[in-house]
Amino acid sequence: MSVEAPRILPGRVVRSPRGRVALRVERRPFVVGCLLVVLVVLLAIVGIATGDYPLSPREVVETLLGGGDPSSAFIVETLRLPRVVCALLVGGALGLAGAIFQSITRNPLGSPEIVGFTWGSAAGAVLVITVIGSSTGAAVSGGAVLGGVLSAVLVVGLAWRHGIQGYRLVLVGIGIGLVTRAFTEYLLTRARVEDAAQAAVWIAGSLNGRGWEQVRPLALALVVLVPLALTLGRTLRALELGDDAARALGARVDSGRLALIGVAVALTAVATAAAGPIAFVALAAPQVARRITRGSGPGLLPSLLMGALLLEASDCAAQRVWPAQQLPVGIVTGAIGGIYLAWLLASEWRGRRSG
Amino acid sequence: MGLAIALAALALAVFLSLALGARSIPLADVIGDLFHPDGSQDATIVHELRLPRTLLGLGVGAALGLAGALMQALTRNPLADPGLLGVNAGAAAAVVIAVGLFGIGGLTGYVWFAFAGAGAAAVVVYLLAAAGRGGATPVRLALAGTAVTAALLAVTQAVTLLDREAFETWRFWWVGSLAGRDSETLAQVAPFLIAGALLALALARPLNALALGDDAGRALGAHVGRTRVLGGIAITLLCGAATAAAGPIAFIGLAIPHVARAIVGPDQRWVLAYSLVLAPLLLLVADVLGRLVVSPQELQVGVVTAFVGAPLFIALVRRRRIAQL
């Protein structure tokens, strides 16, 4: 990372009439954000339009606006729209959670799936699938949320020592993640092969067959969590300056960090409950967003949009590249993650050589 | 003296491993069955099932302990462990690819893939962690290892989800288990384990010099680059062979060198010697525990070591001195 010349804070300040709420808007992140929204919408239309029964983009838009013939309405509203909406919401939630975690741990690799929370969710869900034998969406989702929150409480509790330090959180999380993973794999060996195969697809992270019943609770949760995360963004920005500076700026360091972790864990848990532990979206989205916007702070909103874009693109690829296999989207994001790691490696090395 | 006690404990663990299980055999009978097989059912169990399993546990445990000690010495990093840093996962992913995509059966075939995977993963993780300013701190190394493990896991999942048969074998092998390995498995990996162990032990002296830092090590006459490369080869041999035989097992390589250092101090010659004895002890005890806890079924040894090792790992992390190294 290069050190930029000091300058006066960029961007314009938007104020509410009495000046109670003031928001600084930087130009480049704003433009990038608008572009990302346009891209997400375009990609969503492509995602709805293509498939075994291709529709023209025009038909898709007409149907979405309430027109169109009944058959295309069925295809769009019952089959494809929930899946696309699910991908966007899950991707957005993961991108946001990743941005918060990377900022708190101050490390580009410190995302919820690396820090072990997603394995907690996986353990909960696999326990429901294999031991209780229930494969209904609600029970599995409940298991995932419960497992994720429990493991997060465990990690934060064990990492707590005069407040939370990023590195301790990461390392304790990795330790707990290994245990929950071993537990999950043990459950897989105990289960019947049908249950184990089903659980394995779930662990990979899949959007196959997602309907409105998954989208509704997810959307409700996000309506609460996303604004909460964005308002906490200010604290996050202060925390990036270091604990002492943040305290001097009036931020509550420990409680603020705890609240942020809580929101990020909740985001991860609801996203995992809906689609399984999808790898690398939370890892890659904030980094890509940060490089494109060239923003200075955590960049929560661009990360959210980038996460939605990444996951929807991955899901399109998963469905179209091997239509016969119904490959889980987590496999595609895993491959993207590999490329991302290589890129991170290359760019860090370049950065080192140039100074 | 300490080493003698450790060896005695290891011998006891060997006997327990021969005696205990779904069908427990009295210790006195074990010795009789071992040296004078009389064709009874107990003798068959000891010879055909438990002896190969115990010997494999000795070999795999020693390999993981030595590899962990080597990694911690080479990276001067208290959190280095072949499981944590993705080396075992690299070997495992390469094995799954060899079996699933190329249809290579038999351990002599895929053990080479395991070496390639272990070596490649070790290099990538180290480069990822060491890149950028600040070098390879414990946190960066652990994060890079976990991230690479996650990517490798996705590869493994892709292969196994497409192939139901690979999935069937994978789900038992991936956990890390000594169950159901015959004496042939042991014979096939033994040469690699022995070669790796000898190489590791030969490196003890230059590692002592390197412990003072690269410059001081060079001044003391150690070849820094050569030691690193040879150490990397030893780690690859040990982890690749151990993983090919028993699946990826975490935490042994992390915990044992710390225990060894607590007993004998920082001298690498003693640390390596103790790791060689203590690691198989831990692995065998974990394996026996796994057999007894949910008897007549079994808890795979990889699961037991995770549950035993994680508390130790977290205790290490909570100690300020180590985490700030």
Side-chain angles (χ1 to χ4, degrees):
Chain A
M1 260 177 267
S2 63
V3 180
E4 285 174 28
R7 54 180 179 185
I8 298 165
L9 282 176
R12 282 163 189 286
V13 177
V14 181
R15 287 178 205 280
S16 66
R18 285 194 200 154
R20 289 177 69 94
V21 181
L23 207 61
R24 188 164 55 83
V25 181
E26 290 176 49
R27 187 190 289 157
R28 188 177 167 104
F30 182 72
V31 173
V32 170
C34 292
L35 272 177
L36 282 177
V37 171
V38 173
L39 272 177
V40 166
V41 170
L42 284 180
L43 199 62
I45 291 175
V46 171
I48 297 174
T50 54
D52 286 344
Y53 298 94
L55 301 167
S56 72
R58 196 196 153 89
E59 280 175 300
V60 173
V61 176
E62 270 178 4
T63 316
L64 286 180
L65 295 176
D69 57 283
S71 69
S72 59
F74 173 76
I75 291 174
V76 168
E77 278 163 21
T78 315
L79 299 181
R80 292 185 191 160
L81 187 59
R83 181 178 183 142
V84 169
V85 173
C86 195
L88 295 180
L89 293 181
V90 168
L94 289 178
L96 192 54
I100 295 175
F101 265 110
Q102 292 181 3
S103 171
I104 286 180
T105 60
R106 300 188 197 187
N107 194 303
L109 295 177
S111 79
E113 71 261 35
I114 305 299
V115 183
F117 297 136
T118 30
W119 277 106
S121 297
V126 171
L127 193 68
V128 171
I129 294 176
T130 58
V131 175
I132 304 174
S134 164
S135 57
T136 58
V140 177
S141 300
V145 171
L146 211 61
V149 170
L150 270 181
S151 71
V153 168
L154 201 60
V155 169
V156 172
L158 285 172
W160 186 277
R161 184 171 169 167
H162 315 300
I164 292 178
Q165 288 294 324
Y167 71 86
R168 219 185 293 134
L169 187 76
V170 167
L171 292 174
V172 172
I174 288 176
I176 296 291
L178 276 173
V179 174
T180 42
R181 204 179 102 193
F183 180 62
T184 311
E185 283 163 357
Y186 167 68
L187 286 176
L188 280 184
T189 63
R190 292 286 308 276
R192 289 180 303 132
V193 65
E194 295 83 14
D195 287 345
Q198 193 197 351
V201 171
W202 195 88
I203 289 176
S206 170
L207 290 165
N208 293 343
R210 294 298 185 269
W212 292 114
E213 67 274 16
Q214 275 91 14
V215 172
R216 231 171 270 126
L218 178 62
L220 273 177
L222 291 191
V223 164
V224 180
L225 289 173
V226 171
L228 203 58
L230 294 180
T231 44
L232 282 169
R234 218 169 257 243
T235 315
L236 195 60
R237 199 174 263 264
L239 284 175
E240 284 198 338
L241 301 173
D243 284 9
D244 293 338
R247 251 182 225 115
L249 285 173
R252 270 179 257 166
V253 171
D254 282 329
S255 60
R257 202 173 272 145
L258 211 54
L260 280 161
I261 292 174
V263 170
V265 167
L267 282 168
T268 316
V270 292
T272 309
I278 292 175
F280 282 111
V281 173
L283 191 69
Q287 289 296 313
V288 179
R290 192 176 252 203
R291 310 266 156 138
I292 297 178
T293 57
R294 291 186 203 154
S296 50
L300 293 182
L301 215 48
S303 302
L304 181 143
L305 291 170
M306 185 55 80
L309 187 69
L310 267 184
L311 191 57
E312 175 54 24
S314 302
D315 192 39
C316 280
Q319 287 181 76
R320 310 289 173 260
V321 179
W322 295 278
Q325 300 281 5
Q326 284 295 313
L327 211 58
V329 67
I331 303 293
V332 178
T333 59
I336 291 176
I339 298 168
Y340 163 73
L341 283 179
W343 173 71
L344 194 68
L345 198 61
S347 63
E348 294 258 352
W349 274 101
R350 250 203 328 276
R352 191 191 221 189
R353 210 170 295 149
S354 65
Chain B
M1 180 61 201
L3 206 56
I5 297 173
L7 277 171
L10 182 61
L12 183 65
V14 167
F15 278 116
L16 287 178
S17 169
L18 290 173
L20 299 177
R23 181 190 167 96
S24 291
I25 304 165
L27 267 182
D29 293 3
V30 168
I31 299 171
D33 289 332
L34 197 57
F35 297 111
H36 312 286
D38 52 4
S40 68
Q41 198 182 354
D42 284 358
T44 317
I45 289 178
V46 168
H47 266 269
E48 300 293 314
L49 298 176
R50 300 219 179 123
L51 188 60
R53 178 172 183 162
T54 306
L55 289 177
L56 190 67
L58 283 176
V60 168
L64 291 174
L66 274 181
L70 265 185
M71 286 175 87
Q72 294 183 7
L74 279 175
T75 57
R76 285 205 293 280
N77 191 319
L79 298 182
D81 164 67
L84 209 59
L85 296 198
V87 180
N88 290 352
V95 168
V96 171
I97 288 172
V99 176
L101 290 188
F102 300 119
I104 294 171
L107 202 122
T108 36
Y110 62 65
V111 75
W112 299 104
F113 279 83
F115 292 141
V123 170
V124 168
V125 167
Y126 190 76
L127 289 183
L128 252 181
R133 281 171 300 179
T137 61
V139 182
R140 294 185 62 139
L141 211 54
L143 273 173
T146 316
V148 169
T149 305
L152 291 167
L153 205 59
V155 174
T156 320
Q157 282 170 338
V159 175
T160 52
L161 283 177
L162 294 177
D163 183 349
R164 180 58 75 85
E165 213 167 296
F167 176 72
E168 255 311 90
T169 38
W170 166 79
R171 69 176 172 142
F172 290 100
W173 181 77
W174 183 265
V175 189
S177 166
L178 296 172
R181 310 305 200 265
D182 52 13
S183 46
E184 209 176 322
T185 312
L186 180 69
Q188 281 162 347
V189 293
F192 302 111
L193 291 178
I194 292 169
L198 289 178
L199 189 56
L201 293 175
L203 284 173
R205 202 177 281 269
L207 281 178
N208 267 340
L210 272 190
L212 303 171
D214 285 4
D215 293 338
R218 218 171 266 126
L220 286 171
H223 299 269
V224 175
R226 196 175 70 187
T227 309
R228 286 241 163 83
V229 171
L230 287 178
I233 293 173
I235 291 169
T236 305
L237 280 173
L238 291 167
C239 296
T243 305
I249 296 174
F251 283 124
I252 296 255
L254 176 81
I256 289 301
H258 282 284
V259 178
R261 264 196 299 277
I263 299 175
V264 293
D267 188 341
Q268 289 299 335
R269 288 172 296 180
W270 286 106
V271 171
L272 287 174
Y274 268 87
S275 300
L276 191 63
V277 178
L278 291 177
L281 174 65
L282 177 61
L283 192 70
L284 285 182
V285 169
D287 190 37
V288 172
L289 269 181
R291 279 184 243 167
L292 297 182
V293 172
V294 288
S295 179
Q297 282 173 324
E298 288 194 6
L299 212 56
Q300 287 81 2
V301 65
V303 179
V304 181
T305 56
F307 275 90
V308 173
L312 184 108
F313 174 74
I314 289 167
L316 275 178
V317 168
R318 280 177 62 89
R319 267 168 56 186
R320 185 166 306 185
R321 193 165 56 82
I322 295 248
Q324 282 178 344
L325 197 90

